[in-house]
Each structure stands twice: as C-alpha cells, then as structure tokens.
Amino acid sequence: MTTLDSVRELAPYQDQPAQLPAAANGKVGILRLGFERRADQDRTILRDVYRQSPLLVQRALYWDEEMPGLPCVMILTTSGGVLQGDRLRMDVDLGPGAQAHLVTQAATKIQEMDANYGTQSQSFTLAEDAYLEFLPEPVIPFRRSRFVSDTVVRLPETATMLYAEVLQPGRKYYRDGEIFAYDLFSTTLRAQRPDGRPLFVEKFVITPGRFPVTRIGMMDRFHVFGNVVLLTDPDRAARVFERTATPVWDEATPLATAVSRLPNDAGLVFKVLGQETEPVRAAVRAFCVAAREEVTGCTFPPVFSWR
C-alpha cells in the first residue's frame, strides 16, 4: 500500500521521537487475514493469518447464534493503543461467498504525542457474494495526538461490506476533560470495483487547534461522531434506505442521525452526532441491524449485558 508519510496534513510533524525512531522494530504492526467459504462445513473459515506485533488476532469464534457459520474475529494490540511513530497496516481478503465479522478488543486509544505521528493503512478485498462486517470499538484521540488512517475497499456489486467508525472527542472525563484537544485526526475511505473503477472517496481532516470544530455547521454542541458506510447492490440499499430514511433530531438526548445514498449506486452512508458515546453506538447498531437483516435475512444477537 502507498505510504501515508507524505500526506500534506502530516508535514508539520516530521520530527523523530527521542525514545525510538518512527517505523522501528516493534512499531510496524502488520495483519493479514484471508477468509474462505467451506461449503462442506456450511461456514466460513479463517484460512490465512499473518500477524506482526503490535497487531494480533484471536482465533475465529462462532458465537453469533443468528449466523452460526459466521467467523467472529477480534483484533488486538499489544501496545495499549497507537503510539507516536507507529505504522499499522491491515489487509483483509474474503473469497467467493465468504462471510466475516471483525471487531476490536477495546476502544482504539491514540496516545498523547510529543513528536511524529501514527498511521494506519487498511485494505479490504471482497469476492463475489462475500459479506463483511467491520465494526470496531470507538476511537479516542488523546491530547496532542496526530493520526492518519487510509482505507481502501474493493468489491463487486454482489458483495456487501458494513463499515463503521465512532470518533470520540478525547478523554472527555479525564481530569478536567479533554474535548477536541488533539492536534490532528485524518481519515480517508475509498471504494472501488475489482477492475479499479472508483465508486467514492470520503475524507475528514480535523485539526481543532487550527480550525475549531465546535462551530455551527460542524460539530456545534455535539462531541461524538458516528459514520457507517454500507456498500451493497442498489436493491438491498433501497430496502435499508426505506427502513432508515427518517432523520432524527432528538433534543433531549441530544442526538441527530441521517442516511444518504452514495454515488455510483455504491450503497448508503449513515451519520450520527451525539454528546455521549452510548446513544451514538445505539444508533449505529440500529442501522447495522437493518442492514444485516435486509442483506442476509438474519438479525444481530441481543446486546450482551455486563452485570
């Protein structure tokens, strides 16, 4: 994948950490996952795994009672988050008819930085009739952190990918609170067909110190941002749109949600704004439930209660 070190927004942060140079041993995390549909077992298996610390995965588990043939894989990190100088890369490949559910161990913590930055490159390649849910826990950018992420999805029209992001404003309840105290958060998502034909590109570059995000037309009084992209064929997208098209503006919570169609019949994008994380996560989950039900005919299992 193309290196992210040369992107324009990283130009002010090219200094090297005093502790350990960027991209040194132990700071380049690599994860490659390959899923294959086994017709004789009526399930998808995790066929290929390559992992390099600080990125790790657990074995594939089949705990989803609604989709018993769906491998659920948890992505872990040995470093407690993204550190300055980290360079993370993940490649996921699904064969024809394969299905997978990817989550993270916990919230992704972008640790406080005094030099350089952290980057993350992700590539998802789906074959015909493949189905992938990538639903990581929220991202928490700490004070003075700098982070750039670039994600590429390649899939045919018959495949489906459900991709979700939840961005918190920082450690909101840490000491006196860290709300939009990070230096840089940049994320890019691009989708294309297997022949390279582009479908869409969405990019956010957030630099609260230069351009405050608490303005009207941006975050205003909201703190948490949820972004869900459903890449699927037009018929499925239309059914999900019918179920989720009504915008929500809830002053009591507060919470705001809306769904829009992506260009080139790529699918849908669903956006959520809230002041607290849990209402945003609940709205993201409700959209994901509608998407899974319309695409697979199955629903999500009940939310597990930690008691």
Side-chain angles (χ1 to χ4, degrees):
M1 298 181 69
T2 303
T3 178
L4 296 178
D5 298 291
S6 60
V7 299
R8 182 171 57 183
E9 54 265 35
L10 288 176
Y13 309 112
Q14 294 299 322
D15 52 336
Q16 287 294 329
Q19 302 87 348
L20 191 64
N25 288 339
K27 299 188 75 64
V28 179
I30 300 175
L31 187 61
R32 299 193 188 106
L33 306 176
F35 294 91
E36 179 183 280
R37 177 77 177 181
R38 287 288 178 87
D40 57 328
Q41 300 178 8
D42 195 27
R43 64 167 54 181
T44 296
I45 63 167
L46 179 56
R47 184 196 67 237
D48 295 322
V49 178
Y50 176 84
R51 54 200 177 193
Q52 178 174 300
S53 183
L55 290 181
L56 299 171
V57 292
Q58 291 184 331
R59 61 179 294 181
L61 303 175
Y62 297 86
W63 50 257
D64 193 320
E65 296 180 354
E66 301 294 334
M67 297 181 68
L70 179 75
C72 303
V73 176
M74 181 173 288
I75 302 167
L76 304 93
T77 175
T78 61
S79 61
V82 179
L83 309 179
Q84 57 190 28
D86 278 1
R87 304 293 185 263
L88 308 178
R89 171 177 171 176
M90 181 170 67
D91 298 291
V92 179
D93 182 87
L94 273 71
Q99 299 178 328
H101 175 87
L102 299 181
V103 295
T104 53
Q105 159 196 26
T108 298
K109 304 172 184 66
I110 315 298
Q111 300 286 345
E112 186 170 348
M113 302 178 181
D114 57 25
N116 210 251
Y117 48 86
T119 67
Q120 171 183 268
S121 298
Q122 300 179 130
S123 174
F124 300 93
T125 304
L126 282 66
E128 297 288 343
D129 298 312
Y131 176 78
L132 174 62
E133 297 172 348
F134 181 61
L135 308 176
E137 293 295 308
V139 176
I140 309 174
F142 287 15
R143 184 189 308 272
R144 296 194 61 196
S145 62
R146 304 90 178 248
F147 181 70
V148 173
S149 175
D150 185 81
T151 301
V152 179
V153 181
R154 301 176 183 87
L155 78 171
E157 190 174 288
T158 60
T160 295
M161 180 168 183
L162 193 56
Y163 179 97
E165 296 174 303
V166 175
L167 177 63
Q168 296 185 200
R171 294 176 290 183
K172 184 173 179 178
Y173 297 104
Y174 174 73
R175 294 181 178 174
D176 294 331
E178 291 181 7
I179 297 179
F180 305 122
Y182 51 89
D183 290 342
L184 168 69
F185 185 87
S186 172
T187 179
T188 304
L189 173 63
R190 64 192 82 228
Q192 58 187 234
R193 294 302 183 205
D195 61 4
R197 179 167 59 91
L199 296 175
F200 75 93
V201 177
E202 183 177 55
K203 180 170 184 175
F204 300 100
V205 178
I206 309 172
T207 53
R210 296 180 59 200
F211 304 102
V213 297
T214 54
R215 295 172 292 173
I216 295 176
M218 297 186 68
M219 293 296 288
D220 192 22
R221 60 195 172 98
F222 296 106
H223 294 157
V224 184
F225 173 58
N227 194 45
V228 188
V229 174
L230 173 63
L231 302 173
T232 193
D233 70 58
D235 290 340
R236 294 166 175 164
R239 296 198 300 269
V240 177
F241 186 85
E242 289 179 2
R243 292 180 55 173
T244 59
T246 303
V248 171
W249 186 270
D250 178 1
E251 285 285 353
T253 304
L255 188 76
T257 74
V259 63
S260 299
R261 293 182 175 89
L262 289 168
N264 299 308
D265 288 328
L268 304 174
V269 59
F270 178 72
K271 298 186 183 298
V272 189
L273 292 173
Q275 281 194 346
E276 302 296 337
T277 302
E278 288 310 311
V280 173
R281 294 182 65 183
V284 166
R285 176 182 169 83
F287 180 84
C288 292
V289 168
R292 182 195 273 198
E293 289 177 349
E294 295 300 335
V295 173
T296 69
C298 303
T299 190
F300 271 75
V303 177
F304 183 77
S305 298
W306 294 93
R307 295 183 180 178

